[in-house]
Amino acid sequence: MIDPRNYQPRADVLHDRVVLITGASGGIGKAVALAAARHGARIILHGRNIRKLEAVYDDIVGGGAPRPSILPMDFEKAGPDDYDRMVAALEQEFGRLDALLHNAGMLGERAPIEHADVAKWMRTMHVNVNAPFILTRCCLPLLKQAKDPSIIFTSSGVVPRPRAFWGAYLPSKWASDGLMRMLAQELEAHPAVRVNSLNPGKVRTNMRLQAYPAEDRATLPEADTIVAPYLFLLGPDSRGITGETFECQ
């Protein structure tokens, strides 16, 4: 099997694929959106900040890639009707969904459980676990309309190496990986739909800065240097691979 870290995609490997990327206004989500668009994908940019999404939109169009769509939604506040309207709009516009990348997330509060803020804990679990579950559930009919659909969850280095004082973030990532594996097994009757996770590793992002404020950021790779595994799982070269977690570095 191809090592996703060394994957070298063809220029048109994602031609005409409809790809929804959550958390696409910056960091890894933005980097993957730009790269996937350059390889022919029709990107749906999700995020909370419309201004930042418009900036990514301009970068994609300015690079000559297919014109993306913007999907503003705050997962922390969204209710069932918001998801239903979103899926209805996607179905009307595209009729299918070829890939769904769950990139949006929040670090939350890093504190001992004894002193954890319950409201912050619940918000973190909701954004990192409940929202991807709801979005996946709502988008599955659209994904099943595609010939070669892919769902990608975001894992973390804290999953295999649990440690103290990570608050809700650590159990939320355990839950995310468990959700991925459960869904992969549930979709065995629909083998065209593959479900996997990617662990980005240490990357120069705002979330990394929140987690390690004293770290020398100059030692960290930029987000655009780790996009190859994302392109691999978004495209046809990963067909048949499901229920796996891959490292980006």
Side-chain angles (χ1 to χ4, degrees):
M1 186 186 74
I2 297 173
D3 184 342
R5 294 170 294 185
N6 301 323
Y7 180 59
Q8 297 182 0
R10 303 182 307 278
D12 63 346
V13 70
L14 300 179
H15 174 69
D16 201 38
R17 293 199 173 216
V18 180
V19 177
L20 170 56
I21 299 176
T22 70
S25 59
I28 294 171
K30 175 182 177 180
V32 175
L34 292 172
R38 286 196 299 271
H39 288 278
R42 301 160 66 190
I43 305 297
I44 303 164
L45 302 166
H46 160 268
R48 295 180 300 171
N49 189 308
I50 295 179
R51 180 182 58 81
K52 290 182 179 180
L53 291 175
E54 289 175 341
V56 181
Y57 176 101
D58 291 340
D59 287 343
I60 291 176
V61 173
R67 189 177 300 275
S69 300
I70 290 179
L71 178 62
M73 179 185 286
D74 186 342
F75 286 148
E76 189 175 332
K77 301 175 182 177
D81 291 344
D82 297 305
Y83 286 93
D84 290 341
R85 284 192 293 268
M86 176 205 68
V87 171
L90 294 178
E91 183 173 19
Q92 182 176 3
E93 179 71 19
F94 302 104
R96 73 179 196 280
L97 188 61
D98 295 289
L100 170 59
L101 168 57
H102 292 296
N103 172 74
M106 63 185 298
L107 178 66
E109 180 187 42
R110 289 192 59 186
I113 288 178
E114 183 178 8
H115 304 295
D117 183 293
V118 174
K120 291 179 180 178
W121 178 287
M122 294 178 68
R123 286 200 296 271
T124 304
M125 293 297 291
H126 181 72
V127 171
N128 292 357
V129 183
N130 296 338
F133 152 70
I134 299 168
L135 184 59
T136 300
R137 179 186 179 280
C138 292
C139 286
L140 272 174
L142 286 177
L143 286 157
K144 289 179 179 179
Q145 293 299 314
K147 294 180 180 179
D148 182 33
S150 176
I151 304 171
I152 305 171
F153 290 84
T154 298
S155 188
S156 170
V158 301
V159 172
R161 296 180 295 277
R163 63 208 74 165
F165 311 126
W166 273 84
Y169 182 80
L170 193 157
S172 77
K173 286 304 175 181
W174 280 350
S176 177
D177 272 22
L179 177 59
M180 178 275 290
R181 288 180 171 82
M182 181 172 67
L183 181 60
Q185 291 188 22
E186 289 183 2
L187 291 173
E188 288 178 351
H190 302 276
V193 187
R194 56 191 185 277
V195 190
N196 297 283
S197 291
L198 280 172
N199 172 24
K202 301 177 181 179
V203 183
R204 199 181 307 176
T205 63
N206 289 334
M207 184 181 291
R208 180 76 188 184
L209 178 61
Q210 293 173 25
Y212 299 96
E215 189 174 46
D216 182 2
R217 287 172 62 79
T219 65
L220 303 176
E222 295 281 5
D224 59 5
T225 66
I226 65 154
V227 298
Y230 289 89
L231 299 178
F232 173 70
L233 289 182
L234 290 173
D237 293 323
S238 59
R239 187 178 291 121
I241 299 173
T242 194
E244 302 289 341
T245 297
F246 297 96
E247 303 291 327
C248 288
Q249 302 181 56

